[in-house]
């Protein structure tokens, strides 16, 4: 278990501060899924046991083949799929807060404006 925690820490440290951040929410209630990365997909990774782990782009950037990986996330009840929300560690590492574009909203003066 210590080796896996160390591997997660190394992965977390390999991510730049702009890509990863401390988690805003408590991730400890979420189940931990761990394994060895056997393949990288456009949306995440495949583990040797066949589990597909969907990772945010910011966390996927630091993952390598044959690397030990431990994530906290939502486990599918029907398939071997995990929606990872954080890399396991002490503390867990989350993707940085997403940038949400702010534009006109319904009812604002700019909402109904037509821009050529």
């Amino acid at each position: 278990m210590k080796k896996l925690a160390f591997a997660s820490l190394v992965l977390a440290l390999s991510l730049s501060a702009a890509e990863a951040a401390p988690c805003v929410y408590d991730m400890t209630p979420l189940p931990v899924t761990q394994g060895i990365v056997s393949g990288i997909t456009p949306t995440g990774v495949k583990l040797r046991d066949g589990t597909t782990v969907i990772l945010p782009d910011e966390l996927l950037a630091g993952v390598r083949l044959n690397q030990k990986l431990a994530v906290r996330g939502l486990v599918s009840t029907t398939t071997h799929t995990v929606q990872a929300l954080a890399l396991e560690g002490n503390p867990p590492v989350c993707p940085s807060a997403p940038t949400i574009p702010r534009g006109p909203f319904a009812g604002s003066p700019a909402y109904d404006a037509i821009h050529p």
Side-chain angles (χ1 to χ4, degrees), residues 3 33 37 46 86 111 116:
K3 285 184 179 181
T33 301
V37 176
K46 280 271 198 195
Y111 186 73

Side-chain angles (χ1 to χ4, degrees), residues 43-115:
T43 59
V45 298
K46 280 271 198 195
L47 301 180
R48 283 190 185 160
D49 68 359
T51 302
T52 299
V53 179
I54 301 168
L55 286 164
D57 290 340
E58 296 160 343
L59 300 181
L60 181 59
V63 176
R64 304 289 178 255
L65 288 174
N66 299 317
Q67 173 185 10
K68 292 180 183 178
L69 180 68
V71 297
R72 286 193 178 266
L74 304 173
V75 180
S76 170
T77 58
T78 57
T79 63
H80 293 286
T81 304
V82 175
Q83 177 69 53
L85 300 175
L87 295 176
E88 175 61 359
N90 192 10
V93 177
C94 291
S96 61
T99 303
I100 301 171
R102 306 265 189 240
F105 57 91
S108 70
Y111 186 73
D112 293 325
I114 298 174
H115 300 283

Side-chain angles (χ1 to χ4, degrees), residues 17-54:
E19 294 172 333
C23 298
V24 175
Y25 297 98
D26 181 12
M27 296 293 166
T28 55
L30 296 174
V32 175
T33 301
Q34 53 192 1
I36 305 292
V37 176
S38 65
I40 297 177
T41 68
T43 59
V45 298
K46 280 271 198 195
L47 301 180
R48 283 190 185 160
D49 68 359
T51 302
T52 299
V53 179
I54 301 168

